[in-house]
Amino acid sequence: MFRSQLYVPSNNEKMIRKTETINADMFIFDLEDAVPDNEKNKARELLNSLLPQLNLKATVCIRINPLYSKEFAHDILFVNKNDKIECLVVPKAEIDLSFLYKLTSKELLPLIETAKGLLRIEDVVRSEGVLGISWGAADLADSLRADVKAVEGSEYIRLKIITTARVYGITPTDKVYFDVKNLEGFRKECEMAKSFGFDGKQVIHPEQVKIANEIFSPSKEEIEWAKRVIEEYEKAKVSGKGAITVDGKLVDAVHYRIAKRLLESELS
Ligand code: COA
Ligand code: MG
């Protein structure tokens, strides 16, 4: 499971090297918006030389440039030369991406960040090789001509992403939180995203990684609750009962299933 997916600007040697000391579940070496046009070649060259040297346990991804950009073809040639790259983050995804999987054999993590992408999210997610989905608030706000703050807080978008991800059995990850210094605000947004059903958060700073890993792991209280529910429910079942109370709250088959899933996710 990807609790934390850290973006790293690929033209920044120091930050690329720093990943060896950061406990993220996924690194996304960015070739898109964190890298200015005149640095894109340098960024690819830097990754070419540094990726083989790095000892990373986490999943290694590259955020490529948009499909219709001039840089896209260069990105694909670069990606196809690198065995260390496991997955491509696809910005501004709007169409069936199966061709990209066929072209590269890399798994795909599309970003929904345009009006068209949001409307056609199922075309995107149904593509071959998609392992997860995330979304971007600033580009989406730009595309919708909306206010970034309004888009960031949208329940509609989150439900749409989560629902689609669960239908197609891929992992949903919530968007980046831009206010890097505001760790309390970040923590709150992680909690909100978790309550919506997201499996993790895209992040931009090492401090955010720690918080996302904590929030998107089952808490001690959740594990204790799950163990009690399983124990009490299984006891009750033997005596022919399907509905009981635990701590004064109803527990039936659905709560039992939730408790089982929670414990399984802790083990995975
Ligand atoms: N990846 C790897 N290392 C990072 C990092 C990242 N995303 N963000 C910060 N660091 C490192 C810094 O290099 C610094 O290392 P040091 O202690 O060895 O000097 C340390 O973590 C602390 O960083 P800090 O000084 O607090 O942040 P900063 O001012 O250097 O950088 C940002 C702040 C926002 C510019 C930076 O976090 C960043 O570039 N994030 C990613 C942005 C991005 O990729 N955007 C595209 C997707 S939205
Ligand atoms: Mg974007």
Side-chain angles (χ1 to χ4, degrees), residues 4 22 73 88 102 107 118 126 128 150 158 193 221 243 245 262:
S4 52
I22 302 171
L88 304 182
K102 290 193 173 94
E107 290 189 291
L118 191 59
R126 265 198 298 255
E128 265 178 79
R158 286 194 168 85
E221 292 75 28
T245 57
L262 214 130

Side-chain angles (χ1 to χ4, degrees), residues 233-246:
Y233 183 83
E234 286 180 350
K235 245 196 292 176
K237 224 166 68 172
V238 177
S239 57
K241 278 195 217 152
I244 53 170
T245 57
V246 173

Side-chain angles (χ1 to χ4, degrees), residues 6-9 14-16 18-19 22 30 33-34 63 176 178 180-181 204-206:
L6 177 67
Y7 281 100
V8 185
K14 184 163 161 262
M15 286 192 191
I16 297 172
K18 184 101 185 166
T19 53
I22 302 171
D30 192 18
D33 282 355
R63 182 164 74 169
V176 163
F178 299 121
V180 263
K181 296 273 180 266
I204 51 173
H205 193 279

Side-chain angles (χ1 to χ4, degrees), residues 7 32-33 63 91-92 111-113 135-140 178:
Y7 281 100
E32 199 216 12
D33 282 355
R63 182 164 74 169
K92 304 172 181 73
L111 300 179
I112 298 300
E113 47 183 355
W135 65 293
D139 275 304
L140 187 53
F178 299 121

